Amino acid sequence: MTKEEILEKSRVDNGGKDIEDLEVQKSAAKIAYFSSFGLCAFVSILNWIFTGHVKIDCWIVFFGMACVTFFVKFAKRKKLHELFVALGYLLIFAALLVFFILQLSGAAQ
């Protein structure tokens, strides 16, 4: 079997996607995930330093993103661990969202 035949068989097995491209996408997604966490932490620290309060807006987005990520992983891989993590993130997301709405309505200070 030649190199070209092996590559073509690999592309067919992977739905026309290149293994290297899939690995790059996976690595980029992981870096983006951790970078977004770091940015949320950075923004929260700056808010706390300058205002004495931590805004939860970016955390709502972060935990919403994490929740969706783990629900998709559970749907694709059917691993119970992914479901439990997704449910944990969903609880945090929901609590932050409720608190955010309460803040907007003036019920929570």
Side-chain angles (χ1 to χ4, degrees):
M1 199 177 255
T2 67
K3 179 180 177 182
E4 288 76 25
E5 291 171 335
I6 293 170
L7 288 172
E8 184 58 35
K9 183 173 178 356
S10 174
R11 285 190 192 102
V12 169
D13 290 345
N14 293 306
K17 296 180 181 174
D18 187 13
I19 296 291
E20 181 183 5
D21 187 46
L22 293 173
E23 288 299 317
V24 168
Q25 288 179 11
K26 187 171 120 178
S27 175
K30 186 183 281 189
I31 292 168
Y33 183 78
F34 287 110
S35 296
S36 64
F37 177 82
L39 288 170
C40 284
F42 179 69
V43 168
S44 294
I45 290 168
L46 286 178
N47 270 313
W48 182 69
I49 289 171
F50 291 109
T51 67
H53 297 93
V54 175
K55 292 189 172 193
I56 60 172
D57 310 29
C58 66
W59 291 109
I60 292 170
V61 173
F62 175 79
F63 283 108
M65 177 192 69
C67 176
V68 170
T69 299
F70 277 90
F71 272 123
V72 170
K73 286 173 74 173
F74 171 71
K76 300 264 184 197
R77 300 172 71 194
K78 304 292 188 232
K79 291 193 174 186
L80 206 51
H81 169 303
E82 311 290 351
L83 177 62
F84 289 136
V85 173
L87 290 173
Y89 282 141
L90 180 61
L91 286 173
I92 294 169
F93 169 77
L96 290 173
L97 187 61
V98 166
F99 187 69
F100 179 70
I101 292 169
L102 289 174
Q103 282 182 327
L104 288 177
S105 68
Q109 297 298 330

